[in-house]
Amino acid sequence: MVNLHLKSSVLALFAAVASSLAAAETPLRVIFVNQSPDKAVELFWENHKLAKDHPDRRRLEATIPPRGGWHKSETFLGHEFSYDVEGQRHYVTPPPGNVHSEQFLMLAGSTDGYRVRCEVSVNSQQYMDYLDILVKPYWAPRAASRFLELVRNGYYDGVAFNRVVPNFLTQFGIAKDFLTRTRERELTLWDDFPKGVKFEPGTMSFAGSGHDSRTTEIFIVMPGATQQQLDKFGENTWETPFAVIEGDVEKSALKKIYSGYGDMPPYGRGPDSNRIYDVDGYTRYLPKNFPKLDYIDRCYVVNEVGDFSEGEF
């Protein structure tokens, strides 16, 4: 009996060692992204097998430029990297990847987020107002990076709020230019790993139609959404919060956006998204059938414009 117990313990030890070695050798592709408005980030490979004073213990792997610069690292599961932001060193061990063995990480240090302002029409184009958006870098990094990329490219300038349903959601994201919306519609975004962030009024997420289906359309949870509805948001894999409307959502421009047309077909008589994608979506379909819609005039990353002093945003 003693020998059997000993044999069992030895086998368990070998199994644990084998499992550990297998995990250490599991290939992992990591995309590191830098969304800082003006500072490059140096990414380092940490080698803990070497002494702390060894010159190769921390090796520079890449210098990643700001405003969406990225670096692809072919590494393995469990390896640690580091980077410096404003004099503070941050360490990151990429978690397991998706079904494509890829992980996507934003190098944002301790920042609370990146601020975007969208200047919008309200009350059926009678007035101009704005939405202040805080993009959270760690909630859904793929979504956050894609949104910032589209904002920087002017994608949302001139876009209609084509689905506005009180106590539910406001949706937008079909570009005004036909060639632009047609091209970007084909560029799907892989799903983010959910981080357990709950939906609340003012929360923003990409819309989608299935696994890894996100493109450019975004919805914002409206004030007055019931707790039952809030709990339903996020049930689909593509619905992951990546930003929030800052300030008092009840008093924001969100509640002033024209909602008289109701939901999209077949739930209501509002604009049909598929028709907006047609060549005459903005030149004929929307102005003829839905003349009271409100629109985004322009969106921009606040710290990249330089028009605001601290406290004005």
Side-chain angles (χ1 to χ4, degrees):
M1 291 296 292
V2 174
N3 289 336
L4 288 176
H5 281 299
L6 179 61
K7 183 178 181 181
S8 176
S9 298
V10 171
L11 289 175
L13 177 61
F14 275 118
V17 171
S19 176
S20 176
L21 290 174
E25 296 173 355
T26 301
L28 181 66
R29 179 185 303 109
V30 184
I31 307 297
F32 294 97
V33 181
N34 175 20
Q35 293 293 355
S36 167
D38 56 6
K39 293 181 175 62
V41 169
E42 291 186 335
L43 178 70
F44 290 87
W45 169 281
E46 298 285 338
N47 189 346
H48 293 289
K49 295 179 181 179
L50 301 177
K52 289 184 178 181
D53 58 351
H54 194 285
D56 292 328
R57 179 181 171 89
R58 177 176 295 154
R59 175 171 53 84
L60 178 65
E61 173 155 333
T63 299
I64 308 175
R67 303 193 183 191
W70 59 276
H71 168 71
K72 179 176 69 173
S73 178
E74 299 290 346
T75 182
F76 53 83
L77 191 63
H79 191 83
E80 186 178 61
F81 297 82
S82 74
Y83 64 100
D84 184 281
V85 174
E86 296 182 352
Q88 182 178 359
R89 181 153 299 278
H90 300 268
Y91 296 87
V92 56
T93 302
N98 56 19
V99 295
H100 310 285
S101 298
E102 182 181 288
Q103 186 57 260
F104 190 102
L105 300 176
M106 202 180 295
L107 304 178
S110 301
T111 181
D112 61 342
Y114 303 100
R115 287 175 165 81
V116 170
R117 172 168 285 184
C118 290
E119 297 173 356
V120 303
S121 70
V122 295
N123 296 332
S124 190
Q125 304 173 45
Q126 293 186 48
Y127 308 100
M128 292 298 297
D129 207 330
Y130 56 85
L131 292 171
D132 286 338
I133 299 166
L134 182 64
V135 180
K136 306 294 286 186
Y138 300 122
W139 285 4
R142 290 184 190 274
S145 288
R146 179 59 169 155
F147 177 69
L148 290 170
E149 175 188 27
L150 291 167
V151 167
R152 291 185 176 114
N153 291 338
Y155 177 89
Y156 293 110
D157 298 356
V159 163
F161 290 105
N162 58 287
R163 186 186 183 193
V164 185
V165 186
N167 305 319
F168 182 35
L169 59 74
T170 288
Q171 190 162 320
F172 65 94
I174 304 175
K176 183 177 182 179
D177 179 71
F178 172 68
L179 293 179
T180 300
R181 62 179 177 264
T182 301
R183 179 186 68 245
E184 299 297 335
R185 191 183 192 185
E186 300 301 318
L187 303 178
T188 55
L189 189 67
W190 288 345
D191 292 341
D192 280 287
F193 290 95
K195 300 295 196 305
V197 179
K198 300 295 184 181
F199 280 84
E200 298 178 354
T203 301
M204 297 177 61
S205 168
F206 274 85
S209 58
H211 183 62
D212 293 342
S213 66
R214 300 176 297 176
T215 55
T216 60
E217 294 189 59
I218 289 170
F219 69 85
I220 310 173
V221 179
M222 290 288 278
T226 65
Q227 188 59 53
Q228 182 180 15
Q229 180 58 61
L230 293 175
D231 292 340
K232 284 185 175 296
F233 286 127
E235 288 184 350
N236 297 313
T237 60
W238 57 90
E239 292 179 352
T240 47
F242 73 89
V244 294
I245 302 297
E246 289 206 298
D248 188 344
V249 181
E250 289 283 349
K251 297 179 180 179
S252 73
L254 196 59
K255 292 198 70 174
K256 306 173 190 176
I257 297 170
Y258 185 76
S259 61
Y261 294 120
D263 206 346
M264 64 182 185
Y267 313 107
R269 294 184 292 180
D272 184 338
S273 298
N274 290 324
R275 281 289 288 110
I276 304 175
Y277 278 104
D278 288 345
V279 67
D280 66 343
Y282 273 82
T283 58
R284 181 175 175 82
Y285 175 66
L286 288 181
K288 179 182 179 180
N289 299 286
F290 308 97
K292 295 183 178 181
L293 288 179
D294 279 309
Y295 292 79
I296 295 174
D297 182 57
R298 65 169 183 154
C299 292
Y300 46 88
V301 182
V302 173
N303 289 341
E304 295 173 9
V305 175
D307 293 339
F308 299 90
S309 62
E310 187 173 355
E312 285 187 305
F313 181 77

